[in-house]
Structures are given as C-alpha cells and as structure tokens.
C-alpha cells in the first residue's frame, strides 16, 4: 500500500491537471465572450477585457497571504476544498451573466477563492520526504502545465460545438470533480494550531533560518512570471508580422504559445530528480543563465519557426527555475509556516502575471515586438543579481552563525 504522501501526489497531480484545464479552458475566449454581452467600441472592449482578465490576479495577490495563514492554522486540505469549491461556483455562474460588470465581479470572486495549485504544492512540500522534494514538486508542476496546455484546445472545440456559455458550465463541473477528489482521496496528517499559538507575520520570519533566501525566491518567481507572460498580449500580432499576414496565423500562434509548456512537461521531472542529487541551487542557477541567453537570442528572430524553436528552449529554463524555487522554499520553510510561505509565493506569481503583460504591451506598442524579449532578458539579469546576492547573504550568515 502506498504511503499517504505518495497517494496524495497521484490525486493532487490529477487535481492540478484538472485545475489547469479548468482555468485555461476559458481564458482565450474571455474577450470574445465579453463582446456578446453588449455593444462596445473597440476601446471599451479592450478596457473591459484587460480589467476582467487582470482582476483575478490582483485579488489573488491580495488574499493569498490570508488563506496561507488559515492553511497553517486549519490545514492545507481545507484550503484545497475551499479553493476547488469556490472556483467551481464562481466559474459556473459565469455562464449566466448578462453584462460585463457581472463577469468582472465573478472573476474577482474567482481570484479570491483560487489557490488549489499553491496549496497542493504546500501540502506536498510539508508531507513528502525533504530529500525527494525536488522530484515530487517538479512532477506536481507538470500536472498544472499539462492541463493549461490542453485547456485552450478543449475550450476551442467546446465553443465550436456548444457556444461560449456551456464552456463555463463544463469548467464548473470539472472543478466540482476536483473538489470531491480532494474531499475523499487526499489525506493530511495535520494537528490544528490554536489561534493563540499562531505565529504573527513578524514571528514567521524569525523561525526561518535564511529569510533572504525566501525573499530571493519570491522575487525570482515574480520576475520569471513577468518574463513568461510579457509576450502573451501581442503574441498573435507578432506571429502575424513574422508571417507577413499569410498562412494559418492562429495555428502558428497556438504552437508558439504551447511550445514552452510542452518542453516543461517533459523536462521538469528529469531536472527535479537531478536537483535532488546535485542540489536545486545549481539547477536554478543554470535555468537563470540559460533563460537570459534564450531571451537575447529570441530578439534576433526573423521567422516564425525560429521563434517556435526559441520558445521550446524557454520551456527548458522554466523546467529548471519554477520547480527549483518550490523545492528551495520547501527546504527552507519550517512546517508550521509552509502554508504562508507558499501563499506569499503565490502572491508574487500573481503580481508577475499582472505586470508582465502590461510591460510587454507597453514595449511592443512604443518600440517593437522583438524588444519585449530584450526587456525579458534584462529582467533575468536582475534575477541573476538577486540570486547571487541571496546566496552570498546565506553564505555570510552561515560563516558568522
């Protein structure tokens, strides 16, 4: 019989996979759906689309620390149930909206109740053996990546057959399924902490041996999310320019968008196992250097196939960076504060997901598409400086401890 943590890994992988599908099933079609809710000018439609899309990330960034504190107090399983049920209800109700403002409110509720993936990470980080945390969290990462890749394809097929509203209904059903999977099959050995014994935010940082490392990982997450998301708002327009307006532009844009995730899905488990052997720090360092080089070379793109090839390489850097950050956070966080640390990281990720597209759109609008990648490379340089200062701080702390 499998140990609890192994069974949890199987169930949570499927849960994060379904959550990835559920969250990405509707994302590509939100702006088109908004257009069916009223008569809007092009400017109004762009403003509503931006506000509705970004509202989820803004709210998520704000509420994540609150849910993280509750996770440390009541347990991570309860947070899994809260997230999946809240997302199921919010998304299901989107099928019945009649105005853009109603969709905005529900997207804000979605952000407020999100967090299934981050809490899955926190639960596995606190229950899996520390020496296997790299491979475990890397494998769990592939669940959400795979779901996010498949979601838009499934969503596109569903829209073609059933229309926009039924996509929300199907997504809601998926999230209800995730709720019941977590309810019946996830087991957590958790001893509730009395409120009077709960650590305050200041005390959390006092029980962490190397706070600079934790803060460094938060910044790494934020910048990585910014660089990953920066090209997304203008991706199809850039592909159109590279193809000179000819050929199947939507198909090629889909390939460009999916390329990093496909590679991450394949490479992440291997790099996770390697990190457990040689250290996640080395894998992270490789990922950051590789990412910087890839973004600089991508700025030289002259055709769409070259762009697709470079986006595949971005998948390798993502597979090195993202799971390594999760594993380092798991190893550096005492169990009693794991929930809060992972929720803070979720906030950093949400801020990056919000800021990245804004930055990318601004650079593309005022300069040129290819300079979005130059901007991403410069951000990675900041990430490298952050990395070296973080571990220099840790080394200094150990030498003077």
């Amino acid at each position: 019989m499998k140990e609890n943590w192994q069974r949890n890994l199987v169930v949570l992988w499927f849960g994060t996979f379904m959550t990835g599908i559920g969250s990405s099933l509707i994302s590509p079609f939100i702006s088109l759906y908004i257009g069916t809710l009223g008569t809007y000018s092009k400017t109004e439609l762009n403003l509503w689309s931006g506000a509705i899309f970004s509202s989820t990330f803004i709210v998520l960034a704000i509420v994540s620390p609150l849910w993280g504190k509750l996770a440390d107090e009541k347990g991570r399983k309860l947070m899994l149930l809260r997230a999946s049920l809240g997302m199921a209800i919010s998304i299901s109700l989107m099928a019945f909206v009649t105005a853009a403002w109603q969709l905005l409110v529900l997207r804000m509720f979605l952000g407020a109740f999100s967090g299934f993936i981050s809490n899955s990470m926190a639960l596995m980080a606190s229950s899996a053996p520390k020496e296997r945390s790299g491979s475990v969290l890397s494998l769990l990462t592939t669940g959400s990546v795979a779901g996010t890749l498949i979601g838009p394809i499934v969503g596109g097929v569903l829209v073609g057959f059933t229309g926009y509203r039924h996509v929300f209904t199907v997504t809601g059903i998926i999230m209800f399924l995730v709720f019941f999977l977590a309810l019946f099959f996830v087991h957590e050995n958790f001893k509730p902490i009395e409120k009077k014994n709960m650590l305050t935010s200041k005390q959390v940082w006092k029980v962490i041996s190397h706070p600079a490392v934790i803060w460094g990982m938060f910044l790494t997450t934020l910048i990585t999310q910014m660089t990953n998301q920066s090209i997304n708002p203008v991706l199809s327009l850039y592909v159109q320019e590279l193809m000179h307006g000819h050929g199947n532009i939507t198909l090629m844009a889909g390939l460009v968008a999916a390329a990093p995730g496909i590679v991450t899905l394949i490479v992440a488990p291997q790099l996770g196992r390697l990190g457990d052997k040689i250290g996640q720090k080395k894998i992270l360092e490789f990922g950051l250097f590789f990412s910087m080089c890839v973004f600089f070379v991508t700025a030289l793109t002259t055709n769409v196939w070259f762009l697709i090839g470079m986006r595949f390489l971005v998948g390798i850097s993502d597979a090195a960076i993202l799971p390594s950050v999760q594993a380092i956070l798991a190893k550096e966080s005492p169990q009693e504060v794991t929930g809060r640390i992972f929720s803070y990281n979720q906030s950093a990720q949400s801020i990056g997901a919000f800021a990245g597209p804004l930055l990318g759109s601004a650079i593309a609008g005022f300069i040129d598409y290819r300079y979005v990648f130059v901007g991403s490379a410069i951000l990675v340089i900041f990430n490298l400086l952050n990395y070296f200062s973080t571990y220099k701080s840790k080394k200094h702390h150990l030498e003077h401890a």
Side-chain angles (χ1 to χ4, degrees), residues 34 52 93 97 104 106 229 235 250 280 284 292 357-358 396:
I34 295 166
I52 288 169
L93 290 174
V97 300
L104 175 65
L106 287 173
Q229 299 290 338
L235 184 61
T250 53
Q280 299 297 337
L284 177 58
M292 178 188 66
L358 292 178
H396 176 81

Side-chain angles (χ1 to χ4, degrees), residues 306-323:
F306 184 83
L307 179 62
I308 290 172
M310 297 313 295
R311 297 301 284 172
F312 274 122
L313 296 181
V314 168
I316 295 175
S317 63
D318 281 351
I321 296 169
L322 299 175

